[in-house]
Amino acid sequence: MPEFLTLNHQKFYYNDISSRAYLKQNLDEYSLATLNFCAGWLNEESNFIIHTSGSTGTPKPIKLTRAQMQASAQMTGQALQLSTGDSSFICLNTAYIAGVMMLVRGFELGLQMTIVPPSSNPLQHWTTLPLFDFTALVPLQIQAILQQDDGKAWLDAAKAVIVGGAPVSYALEQQIKVLASPVYATYGMTETVTHIALRRISGVNNQDHYQILPRVEIRQDARQCLEIKSPTTLHRWITTNDLVELTATDQFRWLGRFDRVINSGGVKVQAEKVEKALAQVLHQQQVVCRFFVAGLPHDRLGEQVVAILELSNLQDSTQAQLLTALKETLSNYEVPKAIHCIAQFAETPTAKIDRLKTLRQISTR
């Protein structure tokens, strides 16, 4: 079992962490907060207040038990076949659930942890890259790594890479598919103590469905939304707003959010379906930007489907080409009635798109 972790290129031995000897050092705020959590874990604290990431609303504190977090770590370790002594690279913000659970996995699975502050390119901390068996990244980070000359080789040396925190774009998924190492998109939330299902997106074995972790049960409610029960939910069924198709008793295909259904002229349009089609045509037109699809009030239709692109402007001819291409795969009600460009999207504290605030920018223009 490891005796220390590395944080900001400095070794901290577990005995010194548990005794809080690090408090005598002049540490930056991020290092101090990270070590404070580690000290609580090593000292067998039974409950933790963790903050949600803000993906579907304002970040909020939630209380999780040690047993829930331990179960989640063990389930991930079993699914990814992680072993004691494997190395783990932690570059997610440890103030939020995803980063916290990387720490817990390190302790519970006996991984040798290397921790750096979160940044868009986590490999910037080295000139000679050390290799790791396991890491978790957000899409922005894996995209930055793939753009480095040695980034692909670094990723391919890993035993497992998980990607979460935001959807993986169509263009990025095409880049990830060429990787040989197992790279997985994750499905989960703070209430399930991060992911309860994985979808392989790399190599010839890439999948279009999620495979649930060991000890997880799933079903659908009357709306066709996913319900989950596992040790991480304290063996209680929790109901999500995620519309899914159950492809097997232990597999599902994610269709979109129930609360992102746009009612346009009495026809229900799933925003994520339109986004998937838009991602492909943007890729074909070599338009690189963040975007989302939403419904805006309309006198006749009730709501109309619109696309919002993070661009200063888009030529009329390009807009016309995008809409023409979308009409080949989407119905008339699904094709966006307008494309709005905004130079910079509003964001949550974890750098995710804040759709509501961004839409308000459009309505006030």
Side-chain angles (χ1 to χ4, degrees):
M1 292 287 288
E3 297 180 349
F4 65 89
L5 57 80
T6 303
L7 172 59
N8 265 341
H9 303 284
Q10 181 179 351
K11 284 185 179 179
F12 292 89
Y13 285 85
Y14 288 178
N15 286 340
D16 292 333
I17 296 174
S18 60
S19 67
R20 300 185 189 270
Y22 59 87
L23 293 174
K24 299 175 183 177
Q25 300 183 40
N26 185 24
L27 298 172
D28 63 272
E29 185 177 342
Y30 182 78
S31 296
L32 185 60
T34 299
L35 291 172
N36 283 341
F37 174 83
C38 293
W41 191 267
L42 290 170
N43 287 314
E44 304 288 331
E45 288 185 12
S46 56
N47 296 290
F48 296 86
I49 302 298
I50 308 297
H51 284 83
T52 64
S53 63
S55 299
T56 56
T58 303
K60 59 183 179 181
I62 187 170
K63 182 178 179 180
L64 296 174
T65 68
R66 185 184 188 88
Q68 286 175 283
M69 298 165 81
Q70 286 174 319
S72 176
Q74 294 297 335
M75 288 155 54
T76 295
Q78 184 178 344
L80 298 179
Q81 299 181 329
L82 300 175
S83 306
T84 300
D86 282 348
S87 55
S88 172
F89 179 53
I90 302 173
C91 55
L92 300 180
N93 194 334
T94 56
Y96 297 97
I97 182 65
V100 166
M101 282 308 302
M102 284 298 289
L103 297 174
V104 174
R105 292 176 196 125
F107 287 124
E108 288 300 302
L109 302 176
L111 308 179
Q112 185 65 64
M113 291 185 278
T114 296
I115 309 163
V116 297
S119 64
S120 59
N121 183 0
L123 301 189
Q124 66 186 345
H125 301 277
W126 293 280
T127 52
T128 302
L129 296 181
L131 301 179
F132 298 97
D133 296 306
F134 173 52
T135 191
L137 305 165
V138 297
L140 182 67
Q141 290 174 324
I142 194 170
Q143 189 162 35
I145 291 169
L146 284 167
Q147 289 172 351
Q148 288 197 192
D149 291 339
D150 46 3
K152 181 178 179 294
W154 185 84
L155 289 164
D156 270 337
K159 180 186 287 189
V161 177
I162 56 176
V163 183
V168 177
S169 70
Y170 174 83
L172 179 56
E173 190 161 333
Q174 301 314 300
Q175 296 178 59
I176 293 173
K177 279 183 179 179
V178 305
L179 295 174
S181 62
V183 181
Y184 300 92
T186 61
Y187 173 86
M189 59 209 74
T190 304
E191 292 80 1
T192 59
V193 195
T194 65
H195 55 264
I196 54 89
L198 301 170
R199 178 174 70 88
R200 180 159 178 165
I201 53 178
S202 65
V204 295
N205 296 320
N206 64 82
Q207 303 165 314
D208 67 350
H209 63 265
Y210 286 90
Q211 176 71 46
I212 61 175
L213 300 187
R215 302 166 67 193
V216 174
E217 296 177 58
I218 56 173
R219 67 185 186 190
Q220 290 171 297
D221 68 6
R223 303 170 302 162
Q224 305 302 303
C225 287
L226 187 66
E227 294 189 317
I228 304 160
K229 183 170 76 169
S230 79
T232 63
T233 68
L234 300 176
H235 300 285
R236 300 170 186 153
W237 285 103
I238 69 164
T239 301
T240 74
N241 280 323
D242 289 311
L243 291 162
V244 298
E245 174 191 351
L246 296 185
T247 54
T249 57
D250 59 351
Q251 298 174 355
F252 65 90
R253 186 174 291 113
W254 184 80
L255 303 178
R257 295 275 298 175
F258 183 81
D259 50 8
R260 291 197 66 203
V261 173
I262 303 166
N263 192 329
S264 184
V267 177
K268 293 182 178 180
V269 176
Q270 191 65 51
E272 291 87 349
K273 179 184 178 183
V274 182
E275 288 173 346
K276 185 176 181 180
L278 179 58
Q280 294 186 35
V281 298
L282 286 172
H283 183 65
Q284 292 163 1
Q285 295 291 330
Q286 298 183 330
V287 177
V288 180
C289 66
R290 293 193 297 178
F291 65 91
F292 66 94
V293 169
L296 286 180
H298 188 271
D299 290 341
R300 183 172 59 84
L301 298 173
E303 286 183 298
Q304 69 171 357
V305 179
V306 297
I308 299 92
L309 278 56
E310 192 177 36
L311 292 171
S312 297
N313 59 71
L314 189 67
Q315 291 183 355
D316 290 345
S317 59
T318 305
Q319 285 200 35
Q321 289 171 348
L322 292 175
L323 293 173
T324 299
L326 287 172
K327 289 175 182 177
E328 295 178 5
T329 57
L330 299 174
S331 70
N332 288 336
Y333 281 94
E334 292 171 330
V335 174
K337 301 300 181 287
I339 296 177
H340 297 278
C341 292
I342 291 183
Q344 186 171 5
F345 285 166
E347 294 183 341
T348 70
T350 51
K352 297 177 184 179
I353 299 172
D354 190 321
R355 290 191 293 267
L356 289 178
K357 285 186 179 179
T358 301
L359 287 172
R360 289 193 198 107
Q361 293 179 33
I362 295 173
S363 62
T364 56
R365 288 196 303 190

